[in-house]
Amino acid sequence: MESGKKLCIVGGAPLRGTVTMSGAKNSAVALIPAALLASSPVVLDNLPSISDVHVYVHLLETLGAKIAFEDGTMTIDAREVVPRPLADGKASQLRASYYLLGALLGRCGEAIIGLPGGCNFEPRPIDQHIKGFEALGAKVTNEHGAIRVVAKRLRGARIYLDVASVGATINIMLAATRAEGTTIIENVAKEPEIVDVATLLTSMGARIKGAGTETIRIEGVQHIHGCRHMIIPDRIQAGTYLIAAAATGGDVTVDNVIPKHMEALCAKLIEMGAVVQEMDEAIRVVGANSYSSIDVKAFVYPGFATDLQAQMTALLTRAHGVSVVTDYVYSNRFKHVAELQRMGAKVRVEGRSAIVMHSALHGAAVQATDLRAGAALCIAGLMAANGEQTDIYGYEYIQRGYEGLVDQLRSLGADVWEQ
Ligand code: EPU
């Protein structure tokens, strides 16, 4: 029944040591297409070497961009880019390829992209992206499953998002950067990755105000140029290691983080009984022998991140009492629950909540169905009874978002290998 590449983990070892975080995946997959807007090279520092980034390199090269990527630094020269249709293939493997719609619309006035791809844990519509493009004057059509956007000229508009979508906020921002006049986007998402994209675009000559608040205002400009930009650290990668530290009763310092981005998670770890020490650019978590049950509500930033919900569910099998994990961002992001059950977890789904009871986990063969479900299974594998092996199939999903996972876990004392 299991399929895909396999990651093997032997349970029981508390994680101890320090790991350094890479640049944020969800920033990277927006910053790379943003570089298409520039008339001279853009240099991005601290990019993670993960499969989503490699897929994006391929997509940009197909469009005619010249890319060099070495030691985390990527140089993107988009001077000769043409809006070649990317109707299927790699584009449809990667959900974030939707950013090519906004970036190419801004740059060339046209794009054809095959969607969707990536983690399909539930249907994820892009109606708000389309609403934004149309408000800017684009015509959006469905061409045999691929989305085509085209506009002779983009004009600034006032756009209210019905849901505070990260992707729609960034995508509309990318296109509006080159629109004539002023665009005001209301009820936008406030995630740090949005601020990171706005920072890059501003360094490229765009005029953007309000990123990180509920309203973003963009004055369109004619000319967007290259620049050098350092991507923010990956708060979800960091959160995954901090949860793993608590889950194994270990002592882990996660370096290269922005502690402000981690507040919701740290508050919950403290509430359940872990020791959390915050430093300028690092966070240390010391696990406890026993934890209290807690309730977690995943919400848009600055709420608890939905991308850490599955990992937290694995950890909460160690808490005494009943914990309730509710996801207010996605209504059905619970594919990890059936796999955790195979490992002995007493957890069930009710509506948009996972109800988690204290349970001892054992090794098992399990299937990662998406990136964060896979991360949760890694944590569960580390928590399994001493010496018991967990085989996680579908390892390729995990490789979409965690740079050097095996090496980093080994450096913390875990017994883990890929097969
Ligand atoms: N939504 C709509 N219509 C839209 C767009 C979104 O109804 O046009 C709904 C979605 O169905 C969902 C909610 O709004 O229920 C939020 O979706 P959002 O658009 O914010 O998600 P996204 O931009 O597609 C990004 C991350 C996800 C992360 C979410 C929420 C990237 C590439 N992906 O997705 O990350 O879960 O924001 O924070 O930035 C991951 O890293 O594992 C991951 C899935």
Side-chain angles (χ1 to χ4, degrees):
M1 178 180 52
E2 287 84 9
S3 62
K5 287 166 84 176
K6 186 164 84 165
L7 182 71
C8 306
I9 299 180
V10 176
L15 299 187
R16 290 186 200 288
T18 299
V19 272
T20 302
M21 295 302 101
S22 46
K25 168 182 94 74
N26 288 346
S27 264
V29 295
L31 297 173
I32 296 169
L36 290 179
L37 291 162
S39 58
S40 50
V42 172
V43 181
L44 300 172
D45 288 315
N46 203 28
L47 274 184
S49 181
I50 51 176
S51 57
D52 274 14
V53 166
H54 298 299
V55 172
Y56 242 123
V57 168
H58 175 89
L59 292 174
L60 261 61
E61 284 176 343
T62 307
L63 293 168
K66 296 199 171 49
I67 298 188
F69 185 26
E70 215 183 335
D71 296 334
T73 294
M74 187 181 287
T75 305
I76 304 168
D77 181 346
R79 275 177 288 199
E80 284 167 27
V81 157
V82 285
R84 202 164 281 144
L86 296 170
D88 44 28
K90 292 266 183 200
S92 50
Q93 279 172 25
L94 177 69
R95 180 170 165 79
S97 55
Y98 53 40
Y99 289 133
L100 291 171
L101 293 170
L104 285 174
L105 192 57
R107 166 70 192 264
C108 312
E110 182 174 7
I112 301 180
I113 310 293
L115 297 171
C119 283
N120 291 317
F121 39 78
E122 69 170 45
R124 292 161 70 189
I126 59 159
D127 56 299
Q128 298 303 304
H129 305 231
I130 292 170
K131 170 175 153 174
F133 296 147
E134 287 177 338
L136 294 173
K139 190 164 182 288
V140 184
T141 48
N142 188 327
E143 310 253 320
H144 312 291
I147 307 271
R148 176 166 191 254
V149 287
V150 59
K152 282 213 173 64
R153 32 197 305 221
L154 294 170
R155 288 208 190 91
R158 197 176 193 111
I159 301 157
Y160 180 88
L161 297 183
D162 301 330
V163 279
S165 153
V166 174
T169 303
I170 292 177
N171 229 346
I172 298 168
M173 201 160 72
L174 291 172
T177 298
R178 293 287 309 279
E180 289 167 29
T182 306
T183 298
I184 296 171
I185 325 172
E186 292 173 308
N187 192 34
V188 296
K190 296 181 257 187
E191 270 65 2
E193 292 74 21
I194 293 166
V195 179
D196 202 23
V197 176
T199 306
L200 170 76
L201 291 172
T202 305
S203 307
M204 289 162 73
R207 297 179 64 195
I208 301 175
K209 285 195 181 131
T213 75
E214 268 150 34
T215 304
I216 295 180
R217 190 185 171 94
I218 304 148
E219 307 283 343
V221 294
Q222 289 290 311
H223 184 68
I224 298 281
H225 51 77
C227 69
R228 186 161 196 143
H229 177 80
M230 169 77 89
I231 184 170
I232 57 167
D234 196 311
R235 63 197 169 97
I236 307 301
Q237 182 194 24
T240 302
Y241 282 103
L242 295 177
I243 292 171
T248 58
D251 181 348
V252 172
T253 299
V254 169
D255 201 7
N256 187 34
V257 293
I258 298 175
K260 178 86 189 147
H261 294 170
M262 312 297 302
E263 277 176 352
L265 171 66
C266 290
K268 286 291 154 184
L269 292 174
I270 292 167
E271 194 180 322
M272 62 188 289
V275 175
V276 178
Q277 191 187 343
E278 209 177 277
M279 291 154 263
D280 284 348
E281 291 185 6
I283 297 179
R284 176 181 178 205
V285 165
V286 183
N289 287 328
S290 144
Y291 292 112
S292 313
S293 57
I294 55 164
D295 290 345
V296 175
K297 294 179 185 8
F299 212 64
V300 292
Y301 189 83
F304 188 94
T306 171
D307 294 340
L308 290 173
Q309 176 261 103
Q311 300 90 311
M312 198 67 180
T313 301
L315 163 61
L316 285 171
T317 60
R318 279 199 61 180
H320 290 278
V322 180
S323 302
V324 180
V325 180
T326 309
D327 197 322
Y328 289 103
V329 179
Y330 299 108
S331 58
N332 195 18
R333 193 181 196 177
F334 291 113
K335 288 199 171 154
H336 49 283
V337 166
E339 303 305 306
L340 290 173
Q341 284 169 345
R342 290 203 212 199
M343 300 179 68
K346 292 182 194 139
V347 50
R348 65 176 194 280
V349 178
E350 274 183 22
R352 58 196 312 159
S353 300
I355 316 295
V356 194
M357 276 159 288
H358 184 256
S359 26
L361 302 186
H362 53 75
V366 288
Q367 177 75 49
T369 49
D370 62 75
L371 168 59
R372 307 306 173 187
L377 295 173
C378 286
I379 291 171
L382 294 165
M383 292 164 75
N386 204 6
E388 292 200 11
Q389 184 174 326
T390 296
D391 293 338
I392 305 173
Y393 292 84
Y395 174 46
E396 63 276 13
Y397 282 109
I398 306 173
Q399 288 179 307
R400 292 191 41 224
Y402 293 90
E403 183 181 36
L405 177 74
V406 167
D407 288 344
Q408 286 195 318
L409 285 175
R410 278 194 189 149
S411 77
L412 295 174
D415 189 0
V416 51
W417 65 96
E418 38 178 292
Q419 221 173 47

